[in-house]
Amino acid sequence: MGQSRKALRTTAIGTVSVALLAGPAVGAAAGVAAGVAAGVAPAAPTTAVQAQSAAPDVRFVDIAGDGGTVLKANVVTPAGADGTRKYPVIVLPTSWGLPQIEYIAQAKQLADSGYVVVSYNARGFWQSGGYIEVAGPPDVTDASKVIDWALANTPADPAKVGMAGVSYGAGICLLAAGHDKRIKAVAALSGWADLVESIYSGRTQHLQATALLAGAGYVTGRPSEEFQRITADFFSSNLAKEQEMIAWGKKRSPATYLDRINSNGAAIMLGNAWGDTIFPPNQYADFYEKLTGPKRLEFRPGDHATAEGPGLLGLPNDTWTSAHRWLDHYLKGVDNGVDREQPVRIKSRSTGEYENYPDWKSVAATERKIGLDGSKKIFANIDSGANGGVIFLSSILDQFAKLPPMASIPLLPRAFAAVWQSERYGSEQHIRGTAALHTTVTSTKESGTLVAYLYDVGPLGLGKLVSNAPYTFHGRTPGKPFAVDLELFSTAYDVPAGHRLALVVDTVDPLYIEHNPSGAQLTFSSSAADPSYLSVPLREK
């Protein structure tokens, strides 16, 4: 029974791949058949044959990864490749939970433009052997083993090796760039640079994001014992294992190997979405600023992998267009101007227009501080109605319908939500970059969680979510004030004239695991010696 199911899965993958690769041929053949059925003689019956002969060559192979683990892969080579010349090679590790056909449409486009493309299923997933190591050392070695195989078994040029990938594949690409000097260019889309800051920012577990990843891992693969242990400790909030979990995450973070990545000198393009609920944009921007080689950073509206998702289906997609231009220049030497453009390219959530900057710090030309005066006390453990929405759904609604999570600011219960508002703005405010909260907190318990939300508030008091971020503390002395500094997730959002900004802080959000003991209360205060404020990054007009 197991063998027949595996054979069926293999057949299905092969059938879909061939259909995608032979799309023009299948379309032409279907057109001929329709004409015959309608009683019309086919004008050019050789079209399908010509399309088939011009299609790139695809084959399915087994590649021995680290320790001999079998990695299921597909190889796409340019049409007419006969071994008399070498081609640049692109290696594509699959995303978390997706099969090896994920990149077939992109592989075809790359092969059509003169690349050898090798896409492989990461270990532990689908038909590849081994166990899910979450971009651990075996996964990094696997990437190099796939490059070895490509150089030995395809017309790949050893001087022109690149990697690209989405999500899990993006993280593996960046890690490999720090361990394999042969890699000359990388396009890492919707990936991570710091795994800890991605799913444990503010010392807070990102519940929905991690649950989705863990669930997908169990459905589509075989989690390793280490992965199972780490996720169990993570979800149970086992503080005794916190440092072990952080060390585990750091080992899997490209930022840990920044010096090696810079030393190896690969040209690195990073792309992500403002609303990425799995790998928030801040950690990518921080990593980008520390890269010293050729680099590019792009942010667009959406959630995890939604910006580049249509391109995986072969649809026109500006994220993949940018990635192709990047690879073309740094692997093929195409003079397409990508090296002369301003390297930071962002798309506003409000207007859908692109803006270009020389570096990340130039995105926010000025900062405006909103004073958080007075003292506000809230009770914990109650959801005030302010929240970050639902993973994927909320950011996709914002991406396509400009409908982010909303809350009626006047109706938020002040017993459970601290609220501060700015004056009404006489002109449009262009928020660009990372808002930051500084305040003083006094808790009645030694542990607690707070979540900060920034809203765009219209004349009727309806607030549209601009950004948010969680913060958790442990080991604090009850009744003793302490300072809190919290960066909200980076964004690009325009506040209309006549609107105001509101900062809301409460203690419960379905996106995160909260650590508020029963009966806990939080007090937010400001003093002349240490005033509380929200720093809002603004673009110059």
Side-chain angles (χ1 to χ4, degrees):
M1 186 67 177
Q3 289 297 322
S4 62
R5 186 183 295 114
K6 183 175 181 180
L8 181 61
R9 182 184 294 174
T10 302
T11 302
I13 290 174
T15 301
V16 173
S17 302
V18 171
L20 285 168
L21 282 168
V26 171
V32 171
V36 171
V40 179
T46 58
T47 302
V49 176
Q50 291 169 349
Q52 286 177 329
S53 64
D57 174 67
V58 59
R59 56 195 173 109
F60 293 86
V61 300
D62 291 349
I63 298 176
D66 183 46
T69 296
V70 173
L71 306 174
K72 294 293 182 175
N74 55 60
V75 183
V76 187
T77 52
D82 57 7
T84 60
R85 58 166 292 194
K86 297 290 186 180
Y87 299 88
V89 58
I90 304 290
V91 172
L92 301 167
T94 53
S95 300
W96 184 273
L98 293 187
Q100 68 197 69
I101 61 170
E102 174 188 6
Y103 300 110
I104 281 291
Q106 284 300 317
K108 177 184 181 299
Q109 293 178 22
L110 287 166
D112 282 341
S113 64
Y115 289 96
V116 170
V117 185
V118 182
S119 173
Y120 71 96
N121 239 137
R123 65 172 49 229
F125 286 103
W126 289 79
Q127 292 177 296
S128 285
Y131 296 90
I132 299 173
E133 302 290 346
V134 196
D139 291 294
V140 179
T141 302
D142 284 346
S144 291
K145 293 288 188 180
V146 172
I147 293 172
D148 292 342
W149 185 94
L151 297 180
N153 295 278
T154 74
D157 188 336
K160 299 177 180 179
V161 176
M163 291 191 71
V166 175
S167 185
Y168 193 48
I172 291 174
C173 288
L174 291 174
L175 288 163
H179 291 79
D180 195 323
K181 294 182 178 180
R182 295 173 297 182
I183 299 169
K184 304 303 181 186
V186 169
L189 311 177
S190 289
W192 76 92
D194 189 326
L195 190 57
V196 178
E197 280 300 304
S198 294
I199 62 175
Y200 195 55
S201 69
R203 208 178 176 186
T204 308
Q205 297 102 317
H206 293 210
L207 173 61
Q208 290 186 17
T210 314
L212 178 68
L213 291 173
Y218 277 95
V219 170
T220 63
R222 300 166 300 281
S224 66
E225 291 184 3
E226 182 183 36
F227 176 50
Q228 295 180 56
R229 185 180 72 252
I230 290 291
T231 52
D233 290 336
F234 184 87
F235 288 124
S236 66
S237 304
N238 187 350
L239 287 178
K241 297 291 186 178
E242 183 181 35
Q243 291 308 309
E244 179 183 338
M245 288 187 284
I246 290 174
W248 178 89
K250 290 297 184 184
K251 183 183 291 186
R252 289 157 172 80
S253 298
T256 301
Y257 310 99
L258 179 67
D259 289 346
R260 295 172 64 168
I261 292 172
N262 284 334
S263 177
N264 289 348
I268 294 177
M269 172 187 162
L270 305 173
N272 205 352
W274 293 120
D276 194 321
T277 44
I278 295 180
F279 303 129
N282 302 47
Q283 45 92 33
Y284 241 23
D286 292 343
F287 180 70
Y288 170 83
E289 284 289 87
K290 296 172 185 176
L291 291 171
T292 58
K295 58 184 180 178
R296 186 177 182 90
L297 177 67
E298 299 188 353
F299 285 136
R300 296 174 174 83
D303 205 313
H304 185 66
T306 62
E308 57 271 12
L312 293 175
L313 301 175
L315 301 175
N317 182 259
D318 56 353
T319 304
W320 280 103
T321 297
S322 288
H324 284 226
R325 293 181 67 231
W326 187 256
L327 297 170
D328 284 349
H329 178 75
Y330 286 102
L331 293 180
K332 296 168 66 177
V334 176
D335 185 13
N336 53 21
V338 72
D339 57 320
R340 298 186 294 276
E341 297 170 356
Q342 294 197 91
V344 176
R345 188 174 189 237
I346 68 172
K347 191 175 186 180
S348 167
R349 289 168 52 197
S350 304
T351 66
E353 297 177 355
Y354 280 105
E355 301 166 6
N356 301 296
Y357 299 89
D359 48 41
W360 174 247
K361 63 179 178 290
S362 298
V363 171
T366 61
E367 290 188 0
R368 175 174 294 169
K369 287 186 177 180
I370 299 174
L372 309 179
D373 300 326
S375 177
K376 299 181 186 293
K377 178 185 292 185
I378 62 173
F379 293 91
N381 297 310
I382 300 294
D383 190 339
S384 70
N387 63 68
V390 178
I391 187 172
F392 285 123
L393 177 61
S394 297
S395 291
I396 290 175
L397 283 173
D398 183 43
Q399 178 182 0
F400 294 107
K402 293 183 173 56
L403 291 174
M406 300 182 190
S408 176
I409 304 304
L411 297 181
L412 291 176
R414 276 18 182 203
F416 309 116
V419 180
W420 298 265
Q421 296 192 72
S422 72
E423 76 281 8
R424 294 190 186 278
Y425 296 114
S427 60
E428 190 173 55
Q429 305 294 299
H430 305 278
I431 299 176
R432 299 292 185 272
T434 309
L437 167 65
H438 173 77
T439 190
T440 298
V441 176
T442 305
S443 174
T444 59
K445 305 290 184 179
E446 67 173 15
S447 295
T449 296
L450 59 93
V451 185
Y453 309 91
L454 181 61
Y455 284 98
D456 160 25
V457 185
L460 299 180
L462 183 64
K464 294 183 176 181
L465 187 65
V466 177
S467 184
N468 77 98
Y471 181 93
T472 294
F473 58 89
H474 296 289
R476 294 292 180 176
T477 302
K480 183 177 181 180
F482 60 94
V484 168
D485 288 286
L486 174 62
E487 286 191 345
L488 278 63
F489 300 135
S490 303
T491 194
Y493 184 95
D494 298 334
V495 180
H499 287 213
R500 66 178 73 198
L501 287 172
L503 175 72
V504 177
V505 181
D506 72 2
T507 61
V508 176
D509 191 306
L511 288 173
Y512 312 112
I513 292 178
E514 52 90 7
H515 298 262
N516 297 298
S518 178
Q521 299 176 41
L522 300 179
T523 300
F524 303 90
S525 58
S526 180
S527 66
D530 187 16
S532 295
Y533 61 84
L534 178 73
S535 177
V536 180
L538 299 173
R539 187 195 77 189
E540 290 181 346
K541 296 180 182 179

